[in-house]
């Protein structure tokens, strides 16, 4: 099982936490543009791949969805059209960042959704960070709203952040098994949070809960787990993670 890391704020201080990682890993790095992403240096021989995580301005919606600012969606679409860099689309709605976009961008909903789907369908290596509910109604709704995708080309990362919503071991296993039937070995699982993200109040995951969640992913033979986020790494988390490296 590969264990990778999100880093939403790739500052020098946050990236320095890679010192707690002494196994092959990948990092998903937040950046406002492809040019900015290419300038980010992670000083570790253990980092085998960097993935571009496009992040918008708050006024643009921050995350990428059909309700994001039209100009921002076009910007990301155009820069990825000219690049083969591995990319992760964080498919979340702008509820907490700029909810007025639900009104102002409604006329561009279908155009934005079409462009996002085209990125997922055509890009060489693409991941999508997605909400986790797996019921048929929830899945149909998320597909309509451009928050999940049917393309066989992408690797979905379903976010099970137990520090924020602890669904328990039974439900977590059930949800993952359902999604494995849908996505097969392409399914990735997001775990967290080791420290806060853009919301600023995300609770911290205990080492015990991280141990449990990693155990579940190992038992269900998940190929890749991505932990949110690198900036929260420390010796305690490092010891827990090492138990699941192979």
């Amino acid at each position: 099982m590969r264990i990778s890391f999100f880093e939403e704020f790739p500052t020098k201080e946050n990236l320095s936490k890679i010192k707690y990682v002494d196994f092959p890993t990948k990092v998903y790095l937040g950046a406002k543009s492809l040019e900015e992403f290419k300038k980010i240096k992670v000083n570790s021989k253990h980092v085998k791949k960097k993935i571009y995580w496009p992040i918008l301005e708050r006024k643009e919606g921050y995350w990428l969805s059909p309700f994001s600012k039209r100009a921002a969606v076009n910007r990301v679409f155009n820069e990825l059209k000219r690049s083969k860099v591995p990319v992760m689309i964080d498919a979340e709605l702008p509820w907490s960042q700029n909810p007025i976009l639900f009104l102002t961008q409604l006329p561009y909903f279908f155009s934005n959704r079409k462009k996002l789907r085209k990125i997922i369908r055509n890009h060489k290596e693409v991941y999508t960070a997605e909400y986790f509910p797996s019921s048929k109604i929830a899945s149909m709704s998320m597909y309509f709203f451009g928050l999940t995708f049917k393309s066989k080309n992408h690797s979905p990362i379903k976010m099970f952040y137990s520090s924020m919503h602890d669904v328990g071991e039974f439900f977590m296993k059930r949800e993952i098994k359902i999604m494995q039937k849908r996505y097969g070995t392409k399914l990735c699982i997001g775990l967290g949070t080791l420290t806060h993200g853009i919301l600023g109040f995300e609770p911290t995951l205990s080492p015990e809960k991280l141990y449990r969640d990693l155990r579940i992913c190992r038992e269900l033979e998940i190929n890749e787990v991505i932990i949110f986020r690198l900036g929260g790494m420390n010796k305690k988390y490092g010891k827990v993670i090492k138990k699941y490296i192979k």
Side-chain angles (χ1 to χ4, degrees), residues 27-92:
V27 287
Y28 295 71
L29 300 168
K32 296 293 178 64
S33 68
L34 182 56
E35 182 180 0
E36 180 180 295
F37 166 76
K38 289 179 177 179
K39 293 178 180 178
I40 300 172
K41 305 295 182 184
V42 187
N43 298 316
S44 172
K45 65 180 181 180
H46 300 295
V47 175
K48 303 305 179 182
K49 183 177 287 188
K50 299 190 302 180
I51 291 87
Y52 172 36
W53 170 8
I55 289 179
L56 311 180
E57 299 290 345
R58 286 195 182 210
K59 63 182 180 181
E60 297 175 322
Y62 195 75
W63 302 292
L64 277 163
S65 81
F67 291 104
S68 300
K69 197 81 171 177
R70 182 189 186 191
V73 174
N74 288 339
R75 183 175 69 244
V76 174
F77 178 81
N78 288 329
E79 69 177 4
L80 291 178
K81 193 165 58 174
R82 299 187 296 269
S83 174
K84 294 183 180 179
V85 65
V87 64
M88 184 195 77
I89 302 300
D90 193 350
E92 299 183 60

Side-chain angles (χ1 to χ4, degrees), residues 229-243:
R229 61 184 172 83
L230 180 63
M233 273 293 286
N234 57 37
K235 288 183 179 179
K236 288 184 179 180
Y237 289 132
K239 288 180 180 179
V240 170
I241 292 169
K242 280 184 180 180
K243 297 179 186 294

Side-chain angles (χ1 to χ4, degrees), residues 90-109:
D90 193 350
E92 299 183 60
L93 295 170
W95 291 111
S96 63
Q97 303 305 306
N98 190 3
I100 194 66
L101 291 173
F102 287 108
L103 295 177
T104 63
Q105 301 308 298
L106 185 59
Y108 312 114
F109 174 87

Side-chain angles (χ1 to χ4, degrees), residues 90-180:
D90 193 350
E92 299 183 60
L93 295 170
W95 291 111
S96 63
Q97 303 305 306
N98 190 3
I100 194 66
L101 291 173
F102 287 108
L103 295 177
T104 63
Q105 301 308 298
L106 185 59
Y108 312 114
F109 174 87
F110 291 106
S111 174
N112 284 345
R113 189 181 70 176
K114 183 178 180 180
K115 283 186 169 65
L116 291 174
R117 286 178 176 176
K118 195 169 183 179
I119 291 172
I120 305 305
R121 186 172 63 250
N122 295 338
H123 204 70
K124 184 177 180 180
E125 184 177 351
V126 59
Y127 305 81
T128 56
E130 304 176 3
Y131 302 120
F132 71 80
S134 64
S135 72
K136 288 185 178 180
I137 294 177
S139 295
M140 289 172 62
S141 297
M142 289 194 295
Y143 177 72
F144 176 81
F145 284 108
L147 304 175
T148 190
F149 305 87
K150 291 184 178 180
S151 169
K152 295 181 180 179
N153 183 54
H154 76 298
S155 296
I157 304 168
K158 292 293 184 175
M159 297 179 286
F160 283 84
Y161 291 172
S162 293
S163 66
M164 300 180 69
H165 307 286
D166 188 1
V167 298
E169 184 168 341
F170 173 81
F171 186 78
M172 185 174 178
K173 283 184 176 180
R174 189 186 73 176
E175 290 288 297
I176 291 176
K177 287 177 181 178
I178 292 172
M179 289 182 288
Q180 282 178 313

Side-chain angles (χ1 to χ4, degrees), residues 175-224:
E175 290 288 297
I176 291 176
K177 287 177 181 178
I178 292 172
M179 289 182 288
Q180 282 178 313
K181 291 180 181 179
R182 189 175 302 160
Y183 300 111
T185 57
K186 283 185 171 292
L187 176 68
C188 304
I189 299 297
L191 300 180
T193 63
L194 304 191
T195 186
H196 64 79
I198 190 60
L199 298 180
F201 55 77
E202 294 93 333
T204 300
L205 185 68
S206 68
E208 292 76 20
K209 287 284 179 67
L210 177 60
Y211 183 92
R212 181 201 66 183
D213 292 351
L214 286 171
R215 174 177 55 78
I216 291 170
C217 291
R218 166 64 68 80
E219 289 175 1
L220 296 180
E221 299 182 337
I222 296 298
N223 285 336
E224 183 178 1

